[in-house]
Amino acid sequence: SQQGEEDPQALSIQEGENATMNCSYKTSINNLQWYRQNSGRGLVHLILIRSNEREKHSGRLRVTLDTSKKSSSLLITASRAADTASYFCATDLNYQLIWGAGTKLIIKP
Amino acid sequence: GAGVSQTPSNKVTEKGKYVELRCDPISGHTALYWYRQSLGQGPEFLIYFQGTGAADDSGLPNDRFFAVRPEGSVSTLKIQRTERGDSAVYLCDSCLMGGARETQYFGPGTRLLVL
């Protein structure tokens, strides 16, 4: 079963704009991770945020975590065509990762 | 060394046939996971190996699915009597110690199509 839900399911923006994706989850977590997937193949780790952290940055990525609302957001600033992909959040359950259904992001040139 | 590799990258088979999917994890990674991903969905956990043993196989959908990791490195996912509903991308990932607190390294996946 999937614990996370990403919102929106799909997002289409112009190159250069910022993209924000949200993730909600159901149970307590130790950490939350964001991954990118191109063309339905392997997932690439983007960023991990721990439950005691509220915000984390990595290059053009900014992730926030609100454990009281059981939600996280991923912000991609100054989007590029190469950012076109599906983005997933994953939360930990013991030694497993539980995944949402993903947000499909399209960057229009 | 190299990242996680999976073979074949694509597999087309007929209903009722047997298939084997291979995963070669990053050298030294003790933990290995198999996931299945259907179109438009996130990965769904199948099985987790810690070393040679299956620490959790609760995600395997039924007894047609089996996986091994005899030497604690390469793993093979085996599907007997394939059904059309088994069509999906099968993803393998490895990490150093195990546990979802680490970054997971994914292979490119095997796209299985059962006709």
Side-chain angles (χ1 to χ4, degrees):
Chain A
S1 62
Q2 293 182 322
Q3 141 129 287
E5 289 186 10
E6 283 89 345
D7 164 49
Q9 289 185 333
L11 179 62
S12 181
I13 61 173
Q14 290 294 137
E15 193 168 20
E17 293 180 341
N18 295 342
T20 299
M21 289 159 274
N22 302 296
C23 166
S24 60
Y25 56 91
K26 297 173 186 169
T27 63
S28 297
I29 61 170
N30 294 304
N31 65 68
L32 183 145
Q33 303 186 41
W34 284 91
Y35 286 79
R36 184 185 72 225
Q37 185 177 43
N38 292 88
S39 304
R41 287 303 187 127
L43 293 116
V44 175
H45 178 261
L46 295 176
I47 201 163
L48 181 153
I49 186 166
R50 303 195 187 282
S51 60
N52 61 353
E53 296 176 311
R54 291 296 166 259
E55 188 171 311
K56 205 159 182 181
H57 296 255
S58 177
R60 293 184 296 112
L61 307 180
R62 173 178 167 253
V63 167
T64 64
L65 179 65
D66 187 336
T67 52
S68 66
K69 294 181 180 177
K70 292 188 169 58
S71 67
S72 173
S73 68
L74 169 67
L75 168 68
I76 304 174
T77 60
S79 63
R80 305 168 182 168
D83 295 330
T84 293
S86 291
Y87 292 81
F88 294 87
C89 69
T91 54
D92 64 310
L93 181 65
N94 298 322
Y95 41 78
Q96 292 182 28
L97 283 176
I98 307 296
W99 302 78
T103 291
K104 190 177 175 87
L105 176 65
I106 296 173
I107 308 299
K108 296 179 285 188
Chain B
V4 178
S5 63
Q6 291 186 246
T7 54
S9 56
N10 294 281
K11 177 72 178 176
V12 181
T13 191
E14 293 179 342
K15 180 173 178 287
K17 299 289 188 183
Y18 168 82
V19 296
E20 288 190 353
L21 312 179
R22 176 187 167 109
C23 171
D24 220 316
I26 292 173
S27 177
H29 280 192
T30 62
L32 184 148
Y33 299 77
W34 282 99
Y35 290 89
R36 178 169 70 174
Q37 186 178 23
S38 300
L39 194 62
Q41 299 296 315
E44 179 186 6
F45 169 79
L46 293 178
I47 188 169
Y48 159 56
F49 285 92
Q50 182 59 251
T52 60
D56 184 355
D57 63 359
S58 63
L60 295 177
N62 51 59
D63 61 7
R64 294 186 298 105
F65 288 74
F66 189 70
V68 295
R69 195 186 184 200
E71 297 178 359
S73 55
V74 170
S75 176
T76 304
L77 178 65
K78 307 180 182 194
I79 311 174
Q80 298 177 319
R81 304 183 305 280
T82 51
E83 299 177 357
R84 293 195 180 89
D86 299 335
S87 297
V89 175
Y90 289 81
L91 296 165
C92 171
D93 97 80
S94 70
C95 62
L96 190 59
M97 299 291 289
R101 303 181 188 197
E102 302 173 50
T103 298
Q104 310 287 312
Y105 296 88
F106 281 84
T110 292
R111 192 182 302 274
L112 175 66
L113 177 61
V114 182
L115 301 175

